Amino acid sequence: MFKTIPRYALPGILLVVLFFVACKQKPVIATKLTEQYKNEVYKDYDSAAYHAEFKKQLEQSKPQLHYADAIVSYYAENDNEPHFTQNFLTNGQLRKMVQYLSRAGEHGLNPDMFHGSDIAKQLDTIQANKFTNISQVYPVLAKLEINTANALLNYSSVLQFGVVNPHHLYRRYEPIPKRPDSASFKQAFDAPNLVSYLEQVQPQKPEYLALKKALAAINKNIIDSAKLFRIKTIEMNMERMRWQIAKRDSQYIFVNIPSYNLQWLQNGKPVLNMRVCVGEPRPIDYEDKLKVYLKTKKIDDKPISHQTPVITSYINTIQLNPTWRIPESIAQNEIYYAAQKNPNYFQNNNIRVYYNGVEVGDPDTIKWAKINREHIPYTFKQDASEINALGKFKFIFDNDNSIYLHDTPNKKAFLSNWRAVSHGCVRVQDPLMLATMLMGDTTKMDNIRMEVGLAPKDTTKKARYAKLLAKRAAPGFELQSKFVSLNKTVQLFIDYYTCLPDENGKPVFYYDLYRMDADLEKAMGKYLGR
């Protein structure tokens, strides 16, 4: 016979019963799918069975995943739970994500690279609601979960950071752009609203939106070679705009190499515009010559590279009446031969020659033909003067390639449409105006004008200016350089865009003088729009 259960034991038994009932509650995804599709099959959903299928599918999919380590790590840390299908399937957000993926062409990207069609097929299978047993459901849910994670991380990463890392693609690209990382992946996985997150990662730079609009306006039903060129050029420059280099200040200087142009922008509006000269492009066979040089290490095999690098920095100093310490490469490739042809070369060009730091008294007597060009034992400095290659102004900023903006005595170069003529530094058309804006101080600017031999704006300083001119005219006078630190540094971007929108949003195309578009097109591969 059963004994009567003591009344005091009933609460404990009730707790045990409630515990086991709670343990037997159906997973959230099972409840959602049952309610959404009215199919009793989902009531048989078993988490352990799903997890086993998911791990199998994930292992098979790993070679095709763009960020496999991040995806595997996330699900391992979250017990392989169906995060995306549980939260965004029945409310239609996965279907909306497919729409975003299918419109990747609006960004100059190939939609096929995000595999939205695979997700759509799996959604269609679930929507058809023809499952007759739960074992048919697990593979579809597992594939949908994996494909969603893969597409979301890939799509959001490309829109936020670009397809290509330019720091790895180009030799002379100094900025190290931000790339996808654990923090950006976490944002994607943790997004409480998938559609809001997808909208959030859409690029919003005005120039990007202008190119996006221009791309959409091109009739792609009939494509000729000219139209194809415009499409690809716009697409590649949209990619450049996705690269996350330094955030722009409210005011900054922007030099675009292909357009030979410098702009000073304040709150997105240009307040100064001038022509510039940039570095010469490399020879077409540069890469082949470089391979030979790396084998032989002979200076005669070394290809010349004068391309202006891409740089992000801050102008911090102006050098007035600069001297020019001539780089070794110029000494080897130009001065070495010029000195042999003309014994008076150094005197005519106001260049001092040094041996072990000591000035050579009569450099015109050096027997250059007997000197090994590869190991020239001399260094060279051009004194400040009216003929100095750097002119009267040198604008200094930190960078890895000893590049600077500067004046030039050769003003005729600015009249030419082809202005890729320098050794890599950027020559500016109106250095006085640039210095004026950098200084932002009329009093200091008058002092600068007098230092470089220009009359002051303040008429009360005319007497002082006259004394300076008399001093300069005296026999034996040597012009001295002076460094002026800016009260506030100004951000500088030297960049490379072969297509930019004008003030009306219309795309303007520039000649790809460094052939960087070809390298980018190859690197982007199948990601480029089709």
Side-chain angles (χ1 to χ4, degrees):
M1 293 187 62
F2 294 103
K3 293 183 179 180
T4 303
I5 299 174
R7 182 172 294 179
Y8 65 81
L10 289 177
I13 294 171
L14 181 59
L15 286 173
V16 172
V17 172
L18 290 175
F19 173 78
F20 281 106
V21 169
C23 289
K24 288 295 183 179
Q25 283 183 347
K26 288 296 179 183
V28 173
I29 188 171
T31 302
K32 285 187 174 183
L33 292 173
T34 302
E35 293 176 354
Q36 177 73 17
Y37 299 107
K38 312 301 180 187
N39 191 332
E40 296 295 312
V41 164
Y42 293 115
K43 291 184 178 181
D44 297 329
Y45 183 97
D46 179 73
S47 293
Y50 168 79
H51 292 162
E53 180 64 30
F54 178 83
K55 286 190 282 187
K56 183 180 79 173
Q57 294 288 347
L58 184 59
E59 186 62 30
Q60 293 175 354
S61 302
K62 277 171 64 175
Q64 286 77 46
L65 300 180
H66 291 279
Y67 299 103
D69 290 345
I71 293 173
V72 170
S73 176
Y74 173 81
Y75 286 103
E77 292 171 3
N78 290 274
D79 300 322
N80 296 310
E81 284 298 302
H83 169 68
F84 291 110
T85 49
Q86 179 170 293
N87 293 300
F88 306 119
L89 172 57
T90 58
N91 60 15
Q93 292 200 43
L94 292 188
R95 184 71 72 175
K96 289 182 179 178
M97 188 185 89
V98 171
Q99 295 173 7
Y100 276 88
L101 301 180
S102 67
R103 297 198 302 269
E106 297 174 2
H107 297 277
L109 298 165
N110 180 6
D112 293 346
M113 297 305 293
F114 305 106
H115 306 288
S117 58
D118 293 339
I119 297 173
K121 288 177 183 177
Q122 285 141 15
L123 291 173
D124 291 343
T125 300
I126 294 172
Q127 187 69 37
N129 202 19
K130 294 182 179 180
F131 298 118
T132 56
N133 62 74
I134 195 64
S135 62
Q136 298 170 340
V137 175
Y138 298 139
V140 178
L141 285 181
K143 290 178 182 177
L144 178 59
E145 182 71 23
I146 295 166
N147 289 342
T148 299
N150 186 45
L152 182 64
L153 263 58
N154 189 25
Y155 177 81
S156 62
S157 295
V158 167
L159 287 196
Q160 292 180 96
F161 309 105
V163 176
V164 175
N165 185 341
H167 190 71
H168 295 159
L169 177 61
Y170 300 120
R171 285 194 178 91
R172 292 172 71 83
Y173 193 101
E174 287 195 13
I176 301 177
K178 185 178 180 182
R179 297 296 297 162
D181 57 16
S182 58
S184 64
F185 297 147
K186 188 175 188 302
Q187 286 183 339
F189 280 117
D190 291 351
N193 185 295
L194 193 57
V195 174
S196 296
Y197 173 73
L198 289 167
E199 196 59 35
Q200 173 190 324
V201 301
Q202 303 295 308
Q204 295 299 322
K205 293 179 183 176
E207 56 268 35
Y208 185 95
L209 297 179
L211 290 190
K212 183 181 177 184
K213 183 178 180 180
L215 183 63
I218 298 176
N219 183 349
K220 300 177 181 66
N221 292 327
I222 302 175
I223 301 292
D224 57 23
S225 58
K227 190 178 291 185
L228 182 62
F229 168 80
R230 291 198 301 274
I231 290 172
K232 285 191 173 183
T233 303
I234 290 174
E235 289 175 346
M236 284 184 283
N237 286 280
M238 291 177 74
E239 166 70 3
R240 290 186 173 109
M241 292 176 186
R242 289 189 286 263
W243 298 338
Q244 283 202 29
I245 53 176
K247 185 178 180 181
R248 296 175 183 177
D249 293 343
S250 59
Q251 70 170 2
Y252 61 92
I253 294 170
F254 174 65
V255 175
N256 185 35
I257 296 169
S259 62
Y260 309 116
N261 182 256
L262 177 150
Q263 285 186 319
W264 183 306
L265 294 106
Q266 290 183 352
N267 300 316
K269 302 294 183 182
V271 295
L272 178 65
N273 201 315
M274 69 178 69
R275 292 186 168 197
V276 299
C277 295
V278 299
E280 296 174 331
R282 291 168 178 159
I284 294 178
D285 58 352
Y286 177 85
E287 295 296 334
D288 292 335
K289 288 184 175 180
L290 183 61
K291 290 177 182 177
V292 173
Y293 170 71
L294 292 175
K295 289 181 179 179
T296 66
K297 299 296 182 180
K298 293 180 179 179
I299 191 171
D300 290 334
D301 295 330
K302 187 176 182 178
I304 296 174
S305 177
H306 292 322
Q307 291 186 181
T308 299
V310 173
I311 295 171
T312 300
S313 190
Y314 280 83
I315 297 178
N316 53 61
T317 305
I318 302 174
Q319 185 181 9
L320 308 177
N321 303 314
T323 57
W324 183 34
R325 296 191 178 277
I326 299 173
E328 182 183 47
S329 60
I330 296 178
Q332 292 173 332
N333 295 308
E334 298 178 28
I335 289 180
Y336 178 81
Y337 296 111
Q340 290 186 59
K341 292 180 180 178
N342 180 6
N344 299 316
Y345 174 80
F346 297 106
Q347 183 178 351
N348 294 345
N349 289 278
N350 208 21
I351 295 175
R352 297 177 188 266
V353 181
Y354 297 86
Y355 181 79
N356 289 335
V358 178
E359 185 177 355
V360 176
D362 192 1
D364 298 338
T365 61
I366 297 173
K367 305 297 183 183
W368 289 99
K370 295 182 178 180
I371 291 175
N372 183 350
R373 183 166 71 96
E374 193 164 359
H375 301 288
I376 297 176
Y378 302 101
T379 57
F380 308 88
K381 183 182 76 172
Q382 188 178 37
D383 284 343
S385 70
E386 294 295 327
I387 63 171
N388 185 284
L390 307 185
K392 298 177 179 180
F393 296 89
K394 175 181 174 183
F395 303 93
I396 301 171
F397 47 90
D398 294 336
N399 66 94
D400 298 332
N401 287 278
S402 300
I403 298 296
Y404 38 84
L405 310 185
H406 67 91
D407 183 18
T408 175
N410 180 20
K411 304 295 185 182
K412 289 183 179 180
F414 295 110
L415 301 176
S416 173
N417 290 328
W418 177 263
R419 298 195 292 279
V421 294
S422 83
H423 290 96
C425 289
V426 179
R427 306 174 190 173
V428 296
Q429 184 180 27
D430 194 345
L432 182 63
M433 180 58 71
L434 182 58
T436 301
M437 293 195 65
L438 286 168
M439 293 304 299
D441 186 311
T442 305
T443 303
K444 288 184 178 180
M445 198 56 216
D446 259 353
N447 294 336
I448 286 175
R449 291 177 65 89
M450 289 188 287
E451 283 288 340
V452 298
L454 298 173
K457 293 286 185 73
D458 185 351
T459 56
T460 64
K461 296 180 179 179
K462 283 189 175 181
R464 179 184 165 194
Y465 178 57
K467 289 182 180 180
L468 285 173
L469 290 182
K471 185 178 178 182
R472 286 187 176 210
F477 173 80
E478 290 187 2
L479 191 61
Q480 299 298 313
S481 289
K482 180 177 285 188
F483 291 88
V484 181
S485 297
L486 302 184
N487 290 332
K488 183 180 180 181
T489 61
V490 177
Q491 192 177 32
L492 169 69
F493 293 91
I494 301 177
D495 217 328
Y496 194 96
Y497 290 94
T498 53
C499 179
L500 286 172
D502 62 15
E503 63 274 10
N504 299 313
K506 181 180 178 181
V508 180
F509 298 88
Y510 304 105
Y511 178 66
D512 181 22
L513 66 157
Y514 292 168
R515 300 180 293 278
M516 291 174 73
D517 279 359
D519 294 334
L520 182 55
E521 181 179 0
K522 183 178 179 180
M524 289 188 71
K526 294 180 180 179
Y527 273 95
L528 267 180
R530 293 292 181 266

